[in-house]
Amino acid sequence: MQDVVILGAGGGAKSVLWLLETINEVRRTWNVVGLVDENPALHGTLYGDLPILGGFEWFDSHRASVIHGVGSPVTRRRFAARAHERGLEF
């Protein structure tokens, strides 16, 4: 299984998580490590049963593939730029 982190912790992330879980029902493919979000108030909390790992600084000491879970176009572009700056793989 491949480790993956969902970017964002809003409604879009819920849809992405559902998709990954559905894929895993057919063939165990993704190990969802948790979610990364810019909102410090969410850091260390749970999104369902998954941890919100922190902000993009989490990637300074961890590696995982990422999948976008942000619905807002402006925020999605900002998150994509930050992921690209860190050399993260989608």
Coordinates of all heavy atoms in Angstrom, one line a residue:
M1 N 0.8 -1.2 0.0 CA 0.0 0.0 0.0 C 0.9 1.2 0.0 O 2.0 1.2 0.6 CB -0.9 0.0 1.2 CG -2.1 -1.0 1.1 SD -3.5 -0.6 2.1 CE -2.8 -0.3 3.7
Q2 N 0.4 2.3 -0.6 CA 1.1 3.5 -0.7 C 0.5 4.5 0.3 O -0.7 4.7 0.3 CB 1.0 4.1 -2.1 CG 1.8 5.3 -2.3 CD 1.9 5.8 -3.8 OE1 1.5 5.0 -4.7 NE2 2.3 7.0 -4.0
D3 N 1.4 5.1 1.1 CA 1.0 6.2 2.0 C 0.6 7.4 1.2 O 1.2 7.8 0.3 CB 2.2 6.6 2.9 CG 2.5 5.5 4.0 OD1 1.7 4.6 4.1 OD2 3.5 5.7 4.6
V4 N -0.6 8.0 1.7 CA -1.1 9.2 1.0 C -1.7 10.1 2.1 O -2.2 9.6 3.1 CB -2.2 8.9 0.0 CG1 -3.4 8.2 0.6 CG2 -2.5 10.1 -0.9
V5 N -1.5 11.4 1.9 CA -2.1 12.4 2.8 C -3.0 13.3 2.0 O -2.7 13.6 0.9 CB -0.9 13.3 3.4 CG1 -1.5 14.5 4.1 CG2 0.0 12.5 4.3
I6 N -4.2 13.5 2.6 CA -5.2 14.3 1.9 C -4.9 15.8 2.3 O -4.8 16.1 3.4 CB -6.6 13.9 2.3 CG1 -6.9 12.5 1.9 CG2 -7.6 14.9 1.7 CD1 -8.2 11.9 2.5
L7 N -4.9 16.7 1.2 CA -4.7 18.1 1.5 C -6.1 18.7 1.7 O -7.0 18.6 0.9 CB -4.0 18.8 0.3 CG -2.6 18.3 -0.1 CD1 -2.1 19.1 -1.3 CD2 -1.7 18.4 1.1
G8 N -6.2 19.4 2.8 CA -7.5 20.0 3.2 C -8.3 19.1 4.1 O -8.1 17.9 4.2
A9 N -9.1 19.8 4.9 CA -9.9 19.0 5.9 C -11.4 19.5 5.9 O -12.0 19.7 6.9 CB -9.3 19.2 7.3
G10 N -11.9 19.8 4.7 CA -13.3 20.3 4.5 C -14.1 19.2 3.8 O -13.8 18.0 3.8
G11 N -15.2 19.7 3.2 CA -16.1 18.8 2.5 C -15.5 18.1 1.3 O -15.8 16.9 1.1
G12 N -14.5 18.7 0.6 CA -13.9 18.0 -0.5 C -13.1 16.9 0.0 O -13.0 15.8 -0.7
A13 N -12.4 17.0 1.1 CA -11.6 15.9 1.7 C -12.5 14.7 2.0 O -12.1 13.6 1.9 CB -10.9 16.4 3.0
K14 N -13.7 15.0 2.4 CA -14.7 13.9 2.7 C -14.9 13.0 1.5 O -14.9 11.8 1.5 CB -16.0 14.4 3.3 CG -17.0 13.4 3.7 CD -18.2 14.1 4.3 CE -19.1 13.0 4.9 NZ -20.3 13.6 5.6
S15 N -15.1 13.7 0.3 CA -15.4 13.0 -0.9 C -14.1 12.2 -1.3 O -14.2 11.1 -1.8 CB -15.7 14.0 -2.0 OG -17.0 14.6 -1.7
V16 N -13.0 12.8 -1.2 CA -11.7 12.1 -1.6 C -11.5 10.9 -0.7 O -11.1 9.8 -1.1 CB -10.5 13.1 -1.5 CG1 -9.2 12.4 -1.6 CG2 -10.6 14.1 -2.6
L17 N -11.7 11.1 0.6 CA -11.6 10.0 1.6 C -12.5 8.8 1.2 O -12.1 7.7 1.2 CB -11.8 10.4 3.0 CG -11.7 9.3 4.1 CD1 -10.4 8.7 4.0 CD2 -12.0 10.0 5.4
W18 N -13.8 9.1 0.8 CA -14.7 8.1 0.4 C -14.2 7.4 -0.8 O -14.3 6.2 -0.9 CB -16.1 8.8 0.1 CG -17.0 7.8 -0.5 CD1 -17.8 6.9 0.1 CD2 -17.3 7.6 -1.9 NE1 -18.5 6.2 -0.8 CE2 -18.2 6.6 -2.1 CE3 -16.7 8.2 -3.0 CZ2 -18.6 6.2 -3.3 CZ3 -17.2 7.8 -4.3 CH2 -18.1 6.8 -4.4
L19 N -13.6 8.1 -1.8 CA -13.1 7.5 -3.0 C -12.0 6.6 -2.7 O -11.9 5.4 -3.2 CB -12.7 8.6 -4.0 CG -12.0 8.1 -5.3 CD1 -13.0 7.3 -6.1 CD2 -11.5 9.3 -6.1
L20 N -11.0 7.0 -1.8 CA -9.9 6.1 -1.5 C -10.4 4.9 -0.7 O -9.9 3.8 -1.0 CB -8.9 6.9 -0.6 CG -8.2 8.1 -1.3 CD1 -7.4 8.9 -0.3 CD2 -7.4 7.6 -2.5
E21 N -11.3 5.0 0.2 CA -11.9 3.9 0.9 C -12.6 2.9 -0.1 O -12.5 1.7 0.1 CB -12.8 4.3 2.0 CG -12.1 5.0 3.2 CD -13.0 5.6 4.2 OE1 -14.2 5.9 3.9 OE2 -12.6 5.9 5.3
T22 N -13.3 3.4 -1.1 CA -14.0 2.6 -2.0 C -13.0 1.8 -2.9 O -13.1 0.6 -3.1 CB -14.9 3.5 -2.9 OG1 -15.8 4.1 -2.1 CG2 -15.6 2.6 -3.9
I23 N -11.9 2.5 -3.3 CA -10.8 1.8 -4.0 C -10.3 0.7 -3.2 O -10.0 -0.4 -3.6 CB -9.7 2.8 -4.5 CG1 -10.3 3.7 -5.5 CG2 -8.5 2.1 -5.0 CD1 -9.4 4.9 -5.8
N24 N -10.0 1.0 -1.9 CA -9.4 0.0 -1.0 C -10.3 -1.2 -0.8 O -9.8 -2.3 -0.5 CB -9.0 0.6 0.3 CG -7.7 1.4 0.3 OD1 -6.9 1.2 -0.7 ND2 -7.5 2.2 1.2
E25 N -11.6 -1.0 -0.9 CA -12.5 -2.2 -0.8 C -12.3 -3.2 -1.9 O -12.5 -4.4 -1.7 CB -14.0 -1.7 -0.8 CG -14.4 -1.0 0.5 CD -15.8 -0.4 0.4 OE1 -16.5 -0.7 -0.6 OE2 -16.2 0.3 1.3
V26 N -12.0 -2.7 -3.1 CA -11.7 -3.6 -4.2 C -10.3 -4.2 -4.2 O -10.1 -5.3 -4.4 CB -12.0 -2.8 -5.5 CG1 -11.6 -3.7 -6.7 CG2 -13.4 -2.3 -5.6
R27 N -9.3 -3.3 -3.9 CA -7.9 -3.7 -3.8 C -7.2 -2.7 -2.9 O -7.2 -1.5 -3.1 CB -7.3 -3.6 -5.2 CG -5.9 -4.2 -5.2 CD -5.2 -4.1 -6.5 NE -5.0 -2.7 -6.8 CZ -4.5 -2.3 -8.0 NH1 -4.3 -3.1 -9.0 NH2 -4.4 -1.0 -8.2
R28 N -6.7 -3.3 -1.8 CA -5.9 -2.5 -0.9 C -4.8 -1.7 -1.6 O -3.8 -2.3 -1.9 CB -5.4 -3.3 0.3 CG -6.4 -4.1 1.1 CD -7.3 -3.2 2.0 NE -6.4 -2.6 3.0 CZ -6.8 -1.5 3.7 NH1 -8.0 -1.0 3.5 NH2 -6.1 -0.9 4.5
T29 N -5.0 -0.4 -1.8 CA -4.0 0.4 -2.5 C -3.4 1.5 -1.7 O -2.3 1.8 -1.8 CB -4.7 1.0 -3.8 OG1 -5.3 -0.1 -4.5 CG2 -3.7 1.7 -4.7
W30 N -4.3 2.2 -0.9 CA -3.9 3.4 -0.2 C -3.9 3.3 1.3 O -4.9 2.8 1.8 CB -4.9 4.6 -0.6 CG -4.9 4.8 -2.1 CD1 -5.9 4.5 -3.0 CD2 -3.9 5.4 -2.9 NE1 -5.5 4.8 -4.2 CE2 -4.3 5.4 -4.2 CE3 -2.6 6.0 -2.6 CZ2 -3.5 5.9 -5.2 CZ3 -1.9 6.5 -3.6 CH2 -2.3 6.5 -4.9
N31 N -2.9 3.7 1.9 CA -2.8 3.9 3.3 C -3.0 5.4 3.6 O -2.0 6.1 3.5 CB -1.5 3.3 3.9 CG -1.4 3.6 5.4 OD1 -2.4 3.4 6.1 ND2 -0.2 4.0 5.8
V32 N -4.2 5.8 4.0 CA -4.4 7.2 4.3 C -3.8 7.5 5.7 O -4.3 7.1 6.7 CB -5.9 7.5 4.2 CG1 -6.1 9.0 4.4 CG2 -6.5 7.1 2.9
V33 N -2.7 8.3 5.6 CA -2.0 8.6 6.9 C -2.8 9.7 7.7 O -2.8 9.6 8.9 CB -0.6 9.1 6.5 CG1 0.2 9.6 7.8 CG2 0.2 8.1 5.7
G34 N -3.4 10.6 7.0 CA -4.1 11.7 7.7 C -4.4 12.8 6.7 O -4.3 12.6 5.5
L35 N -4.6 14.0 7.3 CA -4.9 15.2 6.5 C -4.0 16.3 6.9 O -3.6 16.4 8.1 CB -6.4 15.6 6.7 CG -7.4 14.6 6.2 CD1 -7.8 13.7 7.4 CD2 -8.7 15.3 5.7
V36 N -3.7 17.2 6.0 CA -2.9 18.4 6.2 C -3.8 19.6 5.9 O -4.5 19.6 4.9 CB -1.6 18.4 5.4 CG1 -1.0 19.8 5.4 CG2 -0.6 17.4 6.0
D37 N -3.9 20.5 6.8 CA -4.7 21.7 6.6 C -4.0 22.9 7.2 O -3.2 22.8 8.1 CB -6.1 21.5 7.3 CG -7.1 22.6 6.8 OD1 -7.8 22.3 5.8 OD2 -7.2 23.6 7.4
E38 N -4.3 24.1 6.6 CA -3.6 25.3 7.0 C -4.2 25.9 8.3 O -3.6 26.8 8.9 CB -3.7 26.4 5.9 CG -2.9 26.1 4.7 CD -3.1 27.2 3.7 OE1 -4.2 27.8 3.5 OE2 -2.1 27.5 3.0
N39 N -5.3 25.4 8.7 CA -6.0 26.0 9.9 C -5.4 25.4 11.2 O -5.7 24.2 11.5 CB -7.5 25.7 9.9 CG -8.3 26.3 11.0 OD1 -7.7 26.8 12.0 ND2 -9.6 26.2 10.9
P40 N -4.6 26.2 12.0 CA -4.0 25.7 13.2 C -5.0 25.1 14.2 O -4.6 24.3 15.0 CB -3.2 26.9 13.7 CG -3.1 27.9 12.6 CD -4.3 27.6 11.7
A41 N -6.2 25.7 14.2 CA -7.2 25.2 15.2 C -7.5 23.7 15.0 O -8.0 23.0 15.9 CB -8.4 26.0 15.1
L42 N -7.3 23.2 13.7 CA -7.6 21.8 13.4 C -6.5 20.9 13.7 O -6.7 19.7 13.8 CB -8.0 21.7 12.0 CG -9.3 22.4 11.5 CD1 -9.5 22.3 10.0 CD2 -10.5 22.0 12.3
H43 N -5.3 21.4 13.8 CA -4.1 20.5 14.0 C -4.2 19.7 15.3 O -4.5 20.2 16.3 CB -2.8 21.4 14.0 CG -2.6 22.1 12.7 ND1 -1.6 23.0 12.6 CD2 -3.2 22.1 11.6 CE1 -1.6 23.6 11.4 NE2 -2.6 23.0 10.7
G44 N -3.9 18.4 15.1 CA -4.0 17.5 16.3 C -5.4 17.0 16.6 O -5.6 16.2 17.5
T45 N -6.4 17.4 15.8 CA -7.7 16.9 16.0 C -8.0 15.8 15.0 O -7.1 15.4 14.3 CB -8.8 18.0 15.8 OG1 -8.7 18.5 14.4 CG2 -8.5 19.2 16.7
L46 N -9.1 15.2 15.1 CA -9.5 14.1 14.2 C -10.5 14.5 13.2 O -11.4 15.3 13.4 CB -10.1 12.9 15.0 CG -9.1 12.2 15.9 CD1 -9.9 11.1 16.7 CD2 -7.9 11.6 15.2
Y47 N -10.4 13.9 12.0 CA -11.4 14.1 10.9 C -11.9 12.7 10.7 O -11.3 11.8 10.1 CB -10.6 14.6 9.6 CG -11.6 14.9 8.5 CD1 -12.0 16.3 8.4 CD2 -12.0 14.0 7.6 CE1 -12.9 16.6 7.3 CE2 -12.8 14.4 6.5 CZ -13.2 15.7 6.4 OH -14.1 16.0 5.4
G48 N -13.1 12.4 11.3 CA -13.5 11.0 11.4 C -12.6 10.3 12.3 O -12.4 10.7 13.5
D49 N -11.9 9.3 11.8 CA -10.9 8.6 12.6 C -9.5 8.8 12.1 O -8.6 8.2 12.6 CB -11.2 7.1 12.6 CG -11.1 6.4 11.2 OD1 -11.1 7.2 10.2 OD2 -11.2 5.2 11.1
L50 N -9.3 9.8 11.3 CA -8.0 10.2 10.8 C -7.5 11.5 11.5 O -8.2 12.4 11.6 CB -8.0 10.4 9.3 CG -8.3 9.2 8.4 CD1 -8.5 9.6 7.0 CD2 -7.1 8.2 8.6
P51 N -6.2 11.5 11.7 CA -5.6 12.7 12.4 C -5.4 13.8 11.4 O -5.1 13.6 10.2 CB -4.3 12.2 12.9 CG -3.9 11.1 12.0 CD -5.2 10.4 11.6
I52 N -5.6 15.0 11.8 CA -5.2 16.2 11.1 C -3.8 16.5 11.6 O -3.5 16.8 12.7 CB -6.1 17.4 11.2 CG1 -7.5 17.0 10.7 CG2 -5.5 18.6 10.5 CD1 -8.5 18.1 10.8
L53 N -2.8 16.2 10.7 CA -1.4 16.1 11.0 C -0.7 17.4 11.3 O 0.3 17.5 12.0 CB -0.7 15.4 9.9 CG -1.2 14.0 9.5 CD1 -0.7 13.6 8.2 CD2 -0.9 13.0 10.6
G54 N -1.3 18.5 10.8 CA -0.8 19.8 10.9 C -0.9 20.5 9.6 O -1.7 20.2 8.8
G55 N 0.0 21.5 9.4 CA 0.1 22.3 8.2 C 1.1 21.7 7.3 O 1.6 20.6 7.5
F56 N 1.5 22.4 6.2 CA 2.5 21.9 5.3 C 3.8 21.6 5.9 O 4.6 20.9 5.4 CB 2.6 22.9 4.1 CG 1.5 22.7 3.1 CD1 0.3 23.3 3.2 CD2 1.7 21.8 2.0 CE1 -0.7 23.1 2.2 CE2 0.8 21.6 1.0 CZ -0.4 22.3 1.1
E57 N 4.1 22.2 7.1 CA 5.4 21.9 7.7 C 5.5 20.5 8.1 O 6.6 20.0 8.3 CB 5.5 22.8 9.0 CG 4.6 22.6 10.1 CD 3.2 23.1 10.0 OE1 3.0 23.9 9.0 OE2 2.3 22.8 10.8
W58 N 4.4 19.7 8.2 CA 4.4 18.3 8.5 C 5.3 17.6 7.5 O 6.1 16.7 7.8 CB 3.0 17.7 8.5 CG 3.0 16.3 8.8 CD1 2.9 15.7 10.1 CD2 3.0 15.2 7.9 NE1 2.9 14.4 10.0 CE2 2.9 14.0 8.7 CE3 3.0 15.0 6.6 CZ2 2.9 12.7 8.1 CZ3 3.0 13.8 6.0 CH2 2.9 12.6 6.8
F59 N 5.3 18.1 6.2 CA 6.1 17.4 5.2 C 7.6 17.7 5.3 O 8.4 17.1 4.6 CB 5.6 17.9 3.8 CG 4.3 17.4 3.5 CD1 3.2 18.2 3.5 CD2 4.0 16.0 3.2 CE1 1.9 17.8 3.2 CE2 2.8 15.6 2.9 CZ 1.7 16.4 2.9
D60 N 8.0 18.6 6.2 CA 9.4 18.9 6.4 C 10.1 17.7 7.0 O 11.3 17.5 6.8 CB 9.6 20.1 7.3 CG 9.2 21.4 6.7 OD1 9.0 21.4 5.5 OD2 9.0 22.4 7.4
S61 N 9.4 16.8 7.7 CA 10.0 15.7 8.4 C 9.3 14.3 8.0 O 9.6 13.3 8.6 CB 10.0 15.8 9.9 OG 8.7 16.0 10.4
H62 N 8.3 14.4 7.1 CA 7.6 13.2 6.7 C 7.5 13.2 5.1 O 7.4 14.2 4.5 CB 6.2 13.1 7.3 CG 6.2 13.1 8.8 ND1 6.2 14.3 9.5 CD2 6.2 12.1 9.7 CE1 6.2 14.0 10.8 NE2 6.2 12.7 10.9
R63 N 7.3 12.0 4.6 CA 7.1 11.9 3.2 C 5.9 11.0 2.9 O 5.7 9.9 3.5 CB 8.3 11.2 2.5 CG 9.3 12.2 1.9 CD 8.6 13.1 0.9 NE 9.6 14.0 0.3 CZ 9.3 15.3 0.1 NH1 8.1 15.8 0.3 NH2 10.2 16.1 -0.5
A64 N 5.0 11.4 2.0 CA 3.9 10.6 1.5 C 3.4 11.3 0.3 O 3.7 12.5 0.0 CB 2.8 10.6 2.6
S65 N 2.7 10.5 -0.6 CA 2.1 11.1 -1.7 C 0.9 12.0 -1.2 O 0.5 11.8 -0.1 CB 1.5 10.0 -2.6 OG 2.6 9.3 -3.2
V66 N 0.5 12.9 -2.0 CA -0.7 13.7 -1.6 C -1.8 13.6 -2.6 O -1.5 13.4 -3.8 CB -0.2 15.2 -1.4 CG1 0.7 15.3 -0.3 CG2 0.3 15.8 -2.7
I67 N -3.0 13.9 -2.2 CA -4.1 14.0 -3.0 C -4.9 15.2 -2.6 O -5.0 15.4 -1.4 CB -5.0 12.7 -3.0 CG1 -6.1 12.7 -4.1 CG2 -5.5 12.4 -1.6 CD1 -6.7 11.3 -4.4
H68 N -5.4 15.9 -3.5 CA -6.1 17.2 -3.2 C -7.5 16.9 -2.7 O -8.3 16.2 -3.4 CB -6.2 18.0 -4.5 CG -5.7 19.4 -4.3 ND1 -6.1 20.2 -3.2 CD2 -4.7 20.1 -4.9 CE1 -5.5 21.4 -3.3 NE2 -4.6 21.3 -4.3
G69 N -7.9 17.5 -1.6 CA -9.2 17.4 -1.1 C -9.8 18.7 -0.8 O -10.7 18.9 0.0
V70 N -9.4 19.8 -1.6 CA -9.8 21.1 -1.4 C -10.8 21.5 -2.5 O -10.5 21.2 -3.7 CB -8.7 22.1 -1.4 CG1 -9.2 23.5 -1.3 CG2 -7.7 21.8 -0.2
G71 N -11.9 22.0 -2.2 CA -12.9 22.3 -3.2 C -12.8 23.7 -3.7 O -13.0 24.0 -4.9
S72 N -12.5 24.7 -2.9 CA -12.4 26.1 -3.3 C -11.3 26.3 -4.3 O -10.1 26.0 -4.0 CB -12.2 27.0 -2.1 OG -11.7 28.2 -2.4
P73 N -11.6 26.9 -5.5 CA -10.5 27.0 -6.5 C -9.3 27.9 -6.0 O -8.2 27.5 -6.3 CB -11.2 27.7 -7.6 CG -12.7 27.4 -7.5 CD -12.9 27.3 -6.0
V74 N -9.6 28.9 -5.3 CA -8.5 29.8 -4.8 C -7.6 29.0 -3.8 O -6.4 29.0 -3.9 CB -9.1 31.1 -4.1 CG1 -8.0 31.9 -3.5 CG2 -9.8 31.9 -5.2
T75 N -8.2 28.3 -2.9 CA -7.5 27.6 -1.9 C -6.8 26.4 -2.5 O -5.7 26.1 -2.2 CB -8.4 27.1 -0.8 OG1 -9.1 28.2 -0.2 CG2 -7.6 26.4 0.3
R76 N -7.5 25.7 -3.5 CA -6.9 24.6 -4.2 C -5.6 25.0 -4.9 O -4.6 24.3 -4.8 CB -7.9 24.0 -5.2 CG -7.4 22.8 -5.9 CD -8.4 22.1 -6.9 NE -9.7 22.4 -6.5 CZ -10.6 22.9 -7.3 NH1 -10.3 23.4 -8.5 NH2 -11.9 23.1 -6.9
R77 N -5.6 26.2 -5.6 CA -4.4 26.7 -6.2 C -3.3 26.9 -5.2 O -2.1 26.6 -5.5 CB -4.7 27.9 -7.1 CG -5.4 27.5 -8.4 CD -5.4 28.7 -9.3 NE -6.3 29.8 -8.8 CZ -7.6 29.8 -9.0 NH1 -8.2 28.9 -9.7 NH2 -8.3 30.8 -8.6
R78 N -3.6 27.6 -4.1 CA -2.6 27.9 -3.1 C -2.0 26.6 -2.5 O -0.8 26.5 -2.4 CB -3.3 28.7 -2.0 CG -2.2 29.2 -0.9 CD -2.8 30.1 0.1 NE -3.8 29.4 1.0 CZ -5.1 29.8 1.0 NH1 -5.6 30.7 0.3 NH2 -5.9 29.1 1.9
F79 N -2.9 25.6 -2.2 CA -2.3 24.3 -1.7 C -1.5 23.6 -2.7 O -0.4 23.1 -2.4 CB -3.5 23.4 -1.3 CG -4.0 23.6 0.1 CD1 -4.3 24.9 0.6 CD2 -4.3 22.5 0.9 CE1 -4.7 25.0 1.9 CE2 -4.7 22.7 2.2 CZ -5.0 23.9 2.7
A80 N -1.9 23.7 -4.0 CA -1.1 23.0 -5.1 C 0.3 23.7 -5.2 O 1.3 23.0 -5.3 CB -1.8 23.1 -6.4
A81 N 0.3 25.0 -5.1 CA 1.6 25.8 -5.2 C 2.5 25.4 -4.0 O 3.7 25.2 -4.2 CB 1.3 27.3 -5.2
R82 N 1.9 25.3 -2.8 CA 2.7 24.9 -1.6 C 3.2 23.5 -1.7 O 4.4 23.2 -1.3 CB 1.9 25.1 -0.3 CG 1.6 26.6 -0.1 CD 1.1 27.0 1.2 NE 2.1 26.8 2.2 CZ 1.9 26.7 3.5 NH1 0.7 26.9 3.9 NH2 2.9 26.6 4.3
A83 N 2.4 22.6 -2.2 CA 2.8 21.2 -2.4 C 4.0 21.2 -3.5 O 5.0 20.5 -3.3 CB 1.7 20.3 -2.9
H84 N 3.8 21.9 -4.6 CA 4.8 21.9 -5.6 C 6.2 22.5 -5.1 O 7.2 22.0 -5.4 CB 4.4 22.8 -6.8 CG 5.3 22.9 -7.9 ND1 5.6 21.8 -8.7 CD2 6.1 23.9 -8.3 CE1 6.6 22.2 -9.6 NE2 6.9 23.5 -9.3
E85 N 6.1 23.5 -4.2 CA 7.3 24.1 -3.6 C 8.1 23.1 -2.8 O 9.3 23.1 -2.7 CB 6.9 25.3 -2.7 CG 6.5 26.5 -3.4 CD 5.8 27.5 -2.5 OE1 5.8 27.3 -1.2 OE2 5.4 28.6 -3.0
R86 N 7.4 22.2 -2.2 CA 8.0 21.1 -1.4 C 8.4 19.9 -2.2 O 8.9 18.9 -1.6 CB 7.1 20.8 -0.2 CG 7.1 21.8 0.9 CD 6.2 21.4 2.0 NE 6.6 22.1 3.3 CZ 6.3 23.4 3.5 NH1 5.8 24.1 2.5 NH2 6.7 23.9 4.6
G87 N 8.0 19.9 -3.5 CA 8.4 18.7 -4.3 C 7.5 17.5 -4.0 O 7.9 16.4 -4.2
L88 N 6.3 17.8 -3.5 CA 5.4 16.7 -3.2 C 4.8 16.1 -4.4 O 4.6 16.7 -5.4 CB 4.3 17.2 -2.3 CG 4.7 17.7 -0.9 CD1 3.6 18.3 -0.1 CD2 5.5 16.7 -0.1
E89 N 4.5 14.8 -4.4 CA 4.0 14.0 -5.5 C 2.5 13.8 -5.4 O 2.1 13.3 -4.4 CB 4.8 12.7 -5.6 CG 4.4 11.9 -6.8 CD 5.2 10.6 -6.8 OE1 6.4 10.6 -6.5 OE2 4.6 9.5 -7.1
F90 N 1.8 14.2 -6.4 CA 0.4 14.0 -6.4 C 0.1 12.7 -7.0 O 0.8 12.2 -7.9 CB -0.4 15.1 -7.2 CG -0.5 16.4 -6.5 CD1 0.5 17.3 -6.5 CD2 -1.6 16.6 -5.7 CE1 0.3 18.5 -5.9 CE2 -1.8 17.8 -5.1 CZ -0.8 18.8 -5.1

